[in-house]
Amino acid sequence: MFDKVVDFLSRIGLIVGSVFLALMMLITVVDVFMRYVFSAPISGSAEMTQILLTLTVFAGFILVSRDGSHVVVSIFEPVISRFSPNLYRLVYAVSNTVGTAFLLWVLIMAARDSYIYEDVTEGLEIPYFYIISALVLFVAVSLVAGIRVFTSGQMGHDSAD
């Protein structure tokens, strides 16, 4: 049952991330076209692209957490995984979960602060609270999806040997 929920949430993350990526590409293409053909670029297109890129990365974080395929620094990995593969998997899963939980806490505090101080983006004046709240949602789902690594192990990550 848990795996089905994680797969469903991951599929939503994939779809949402894909839509954000498509929007980002569309905005860029239209902006370049408008800039060079009509000398009238889209106002705020760079800001929209930055926001969409951030949302795309965090939507993809759900899939990365589900598979346990984060970028890792393999300094001690070969030694630990040869010495005790189970210890390595446990350290990986715990550090992934703790790191994601910390990121979630930081984003919740940032969302709270942006709500209290009514922070908005510079050009389009989009409230940061909405953007950061979306990131909080994505990281919360990533935390749930990352729990799968405890039961299923890592997917898509091989030892550096």
Side-chain angles (χ1 to χ4, degrees), residues 91-119:
V91 168
Y92 180 91
V94 168
S95 62
N96 177 50
T97 303
V98 169
T100 304
F102 178 72
L103 179 60
L104 180 61
W105 177 76
V106 168
L107 285 171
I108 289 171
M109 294 298 106
R112 181 199 64 180
D113 291 347
S114 67
Y115 179 78
I116 291 170
Y117 297 114
E118 299 177 358
D119 291 336

Side-chain angles (χ1 to χ4, degrees), residues 27-104:
I27 289 169
T28 302
V29 167
V30 171
D31 182 52
V32 169
F33 178 78
M34 296 293 292
R35 178 181 316 273
Y36 290 106
V37 173
F38 298 110
S39 295
I42 298 174
S43 178
S45 65
E47 192 172 291
M48 286 186 275
T49 302
Q50 289 172 346
I51 292 168
L52 287 169
L53 178 61
T54 303
L55 293 171
T56 301
V57 167
F58 276 80
F61 186 47
I62 297 169
L63 302 169
V64 170
S65 292
R66 178 199 65 190
D67 295 343
S69 58
H70 300 281
V71 173
V72 296
V73 178
S74 299
I75 297 172
F76 303 109
E77 176 189 13
V79 175
I80 295 173
S81 62
R82 263 186 295 219
F83 172 70
S84 178
N86 291 333
L87 174 65
Y88 171 74
R89 285 189 211 104
L90 179 65
V91 168
Y92 180 91
V94 168
S95 62
N96 177 50
T97 303
V98 169
T100 304
F102 178 72
L103 179 60
L104 180 61

Side-chain angles (χ1 to χ4, degrees), residues 12-13 16-17 20 54-62 100 104 131-143:
I12 289 174
V16 168
F20 289 156
T54 303
L55 293 171
T56 301
V57 167
F58 276 80
F61 186 47
I62 297 169
T100 304
L104 180 61
I131 299 166
I132 298 171
S133 294
L135 301 181
V136 166
L137 177 65
F138 292 148
V139 173
V141 172
S142 297
L143 185 60

